[in-house]
Amino acid sequence: MSISIDTTNAIATWEIPFQKIESHVSLKNKDAVALMHLFAFLHFDGINESIFRSSAADSVDQDIDGMVYPEIILSSLQQTEVAQARLRQALGVLTDHSLIDFDPDTRSYSQHPVVHRWARDRLDQKEQLSSLHCTVGLLARSISPYLEASGRAFRRSLVPHMESCLQKLENSAPSFPRTVGIANSIERFAWVYAECGLWKKAKTLQERLIKFRTKILGRKHEDTIRATYSLGQTHWNLFDPMSTIEAQRQVIAARRWIWPSWFAFYVNPPWMPDFISYYAALSDLTLALWLAGRRDISKVIGMRASAGLLKRLGPDDPTTLNAMFNLARTLLHLREWDKAHDLLIPVLRKRKRLFGLNHPDTLMTRNELGVLYCERRQNLAVAERLVTNVLEARKVVLGEEHAYTLWSVNDLSKVLCERGRGLEAAKMLEDIIPIVARTLGDEHVGMTMTKGNLAKAYVNSGRWIQAEQMLAQILKSTPTDHPDWVQTISGYVYVQIQLQQWRDAERNCLNVLDQIRRKRVLARDNPRILVIAEQLAHIYLVTGRPDESKALRAEFSAMHAGFAEKLYRIVPEGAGTQSQ
């Protein structure tokens, strides 16, 4: 890249004072030079001074990353008053010479982009690589392994600096990580990406990490298992159920043969493991199977995970609460509402006590309870209040474009539709469609979910043509062996009936029932299948074929007149339908 005369003059302007700093042998000047080398690899703006102070989360030794840090960083890790005074003096030298700027309102530093580039380019290749690795390690040390809620805003501010370092790592070594230290650091970067909802970026780092650790440490090493577990969580958040299940399968397979003690090995044989990490892996698999639509299996595994963790950890441990919540979510979608409610209430009460009202786990439980009330079509006012409060809290805690925030918008739209406010629901969903497309992508399941709820809102507000077009799009991307395919096509048939498209509606119903007879996607007495049968029986009657309607009812004896409208009504009965 060519450098203009103005840029050359600017470099000369800062090179001269920096050489003066280098020429002095005082401790604060030596420290200032070391900090300047680190600043060169951070993003040039928003350099929070807590980056240097929060590094005390790890001990002064170098077992986390193996980096050789400058003395000023090793000193700041001690977090004593003397160390902090030393850090402030070094930063003061740089600000006094206008090499960095300090914003007292945000307690952060910045650098002119030209100075930032010059500070990096003046180093030789070996110095650049050493400073880059130190900067990566420094950022990683500022990320607490516990990911406390109180530090979420700070960690979010690290993202530009992480990306700056990762870009330079990619340029210097495209196959990174090559050392255990860099591997440990990018693991923490992946944690932050995942926390911020940047799951595709987290996935890229986690895949690199697993490949490196599998080669160096082996697949059954605890660090490799932990990275595989995190990748499974990322796949889940990316709505990739099969990849989630595969990651969890690998974790469970490894856990089955990694015993906490020799005593545990003798008490329980390998085919009947009975320890915490194994049950926790089963709990995660419960969630993955729920997402994949295999909810009967999810229920069985979830019950085993919950029972095992209750026995090993007790009812108040966060790991047990996770298992109970995962099981409750599965039970909700199996329409076992009372059982789901009996699990969600104690989980919510304990998470509020342990984590606080607006912790992400508490918010998820509050949201799920609102969804449960909506599914039962009871306490709809309570459901709306719960989901609305979660939505507003997630906007603050996670950000307005975080996937979980968008998820709450979808859930609120369902409640509004149940309360007969389809126009309001449609408007809020139409507003987030561009955000979902930009942040998740048009092919993401989150987009399918949003379009499905938008179709429901169109039906609720009598916009039949828009509903038909939207449902047709969704069906093209929904596998026929997924249970949600049946519910989606049932909604599609409902719209076609309203539009009096009898032939198309009949063909779709017959297609579903043929799938049931041949592939047994769902049981014949499943409520979703009975809805399709009821819709087809209605079509037969309207088109003057009462004998065929009678024969169908004989085949599906569990259905009865009004069954579909009662259980799966898309439009509330009467414009004034409200909550209790």
Side-chain angles (χ1 to χ4, degrees), residues 405-551:
T405 306
L406 301 176
W407 196 328
S408 285
V409 174
N410 275 272
D411 287 336
L412 180 57
S413 75
K414 297 176 186 177
V415 179
L416 294 178
C417 284
E418 289 301 327
R419 304 198 74 187
R421 291 151 61 185
L423 288 174
E424 187 178 343
K427 176 64 169 62
M428 69 191 318
L429 291 168
E430 288 169 342
D431 288 345
I432 69 168
I433 287 282
I435 301 174
V436 176
R438 174 164 45 81
T439 58
L440 299 177
D442 290 328
E443 304 302 319
H444 193 274
V445 177
M447 177 63 83
T448 303
M449 176 180 67
T450 304
K451 287 182 176 179
N453 288 321
L454 180 56
K456 182 177 181 180
Y458 285 153
V459 169
N460 191 275
S461 54
R463 297 162 68 178
W464 303 108
I465 300 299
Q466 293 95 323
E468 182 193 26
Q469 293 171 346
M470 189 66 69
L471 287 167
Q473 292 179 24
I474 297 168
L475 284 170
K476 289 180 181 179
S477 60
T478 305
T480 57
D481 60 349
H482 194 288
D484 286 348
W485 174 74
V486 176
Q487 187 165 6
T488 303
I489 205 165
S490 175
Y492 191 40
V493 169
Y494 182 91
V495 172
Q496 290 176 324
I497 290 173
Q498 303 304 315
L499 293 171
Q500 298 185 5
Q501 296 174 354
W502 307 114
R503 183 173 299 177
D504 291 338
E506 179 180 346
R507 183 173 61 251
N508 285 323
C509 288
L510 290 173
N511 183 27
V512 174
L513 297 182
D514 182 60
Q515 293 277 352
I516 297 304
R517 295 183 181 107
R518 290 188 299 106
K519 298 183 179 181
R520 298 182 179 180
V521 178
L522 292 173
R524 294 169 67 88
D525 59 350
N526 185 286
R528 296 183 180 185
I529 300 304
L530 296 178
V531 168
I532 293 289
E534 174 66 31
Q535 289 174 323
L536 181 58
H538 174 72
I539 293 169
Y540 285 154
L541 284 175
V542 172
T543 55
R545 292 177 285 172
D547 291 342
E548 294 180 58
S549 177
K550 183 177 179 181

Side-chain angles (χ1 to χ4, degrees), residues 286 289-304 327 330-331 333-336 483 520-523 525-526:
T286 301
L289 290 167
W290 165 80
L291 181 63
R294 301 169 67 178
R295 285 151 194 164
D296 289 333
I297 304 175
S298 175
K299 174 184 174 182
V300 173
I301 293 177
M303 291 174 67
R304 183 178 177 189
L327 176 59
T330 296
L331 292 171
H333 287 83
L334 287 172
R335 303 174 63 81
E336 298 184 29
R520 298 182 179 180
V521 178
L522 292 173
D525 59 350
N526 185 286

Side-chain angles (χ1 to χ4, degrees), residues 232-276:
Q233 297 291 99
T234 300
H235 281 311
W236 188 88
N237 282 304
L238 286 170
F239 290 82
D240 184 353
M242 301 317 296
S243 296
T244 305
I245 291 171
E246 174 57 24
Q248 294 304 333
R249 185 196 66 77
Q250 293 177 19
V251 171
I252 290 173
R255 293 289 188 204
R256 184 183 290 272
W257 297 101
I258 298 178
W259 297 78
S261 66
W262 280 106
F263 176 78
F265 181 85
Y266 283 113
V267 170
N268 296 100
W271 54 89
M272 292 184 62
D274 182 29
F275 48 89
I276 295 168

Side-chain angles (χ1 to χ4, degrees), residues 38 65 67-70 73 128-140 182:
L38 300 180
D65 49 37
M67 306 296 181
V68 179
Y69 290 103
I73 298 303
Q128 284 194 18
L129 193 59
S130 175
S131 296
L132 172 59
H133 284 189
C134 283
T135 308
V136 170
L138 180 68
L139 285 173
I182 294 297

